[in-house]
Amino acid sequence: QLQLVESGGGLVQPGGSLRLSCVVSGFTLDYYHIGWFRQAPGKEREGVACSSRNDGSTYYSDSVKGRFTISRDNAKNTVYLQMNSLKPEDTAVYYCAADRGSCFQRFAYWGQGTQLTVSS
């Protein structure tokens, strides 16, 4: 059974850093695009980063470009989201998702989410 489990969320001060992890099981990570999404209270879900299965390309939303970095370790079946220079507006539940199609279409498989709160 295909499963994604996020971890690493928590409370961090503005300007701080945190790394989220997404461990996948039940499928081979190499064959999937992996995206990180977030949803803040009262807001729609937003795609923030994607790691392409094809050529290692990465994509970022304008809101996180230059601050967040997505990476994957296929041998460990894990995808990371390194988040630097965090802002209060980054507060949200963060989800990882997997799909074989594209970074730019609806993702089929989702984790349960991990909460990030950026506050002093």
Side-chain angles (χ1 to χ4, degrees), residues 72-93:
R72 62 166 75 198
D73 186 336
N74 289 340
K76 293 183 178 180
N77 271 0
T78 302
V79 180
Y80 304 99
L81 185 68
Q82 176 67 42
M83 305 180 293
N84 299 327
S85 302
L86 283 164
K87 306 174 181 180
E89 51 263 44
D90 294 318
T91 296
V93 178

Side-chain angles (χ1 to χ4, degrees), residues 32-51:
Y32 285 78
H33 307 284
I34 302 294
W36 280 98
F37 297 79
R38 66 186 182 186
Q39 188 165 21
K43 294 188 176 182
E44 292 188 356
R45 187 171 59 199
E46 172 191 17
V48 297
C50 186
S51 170

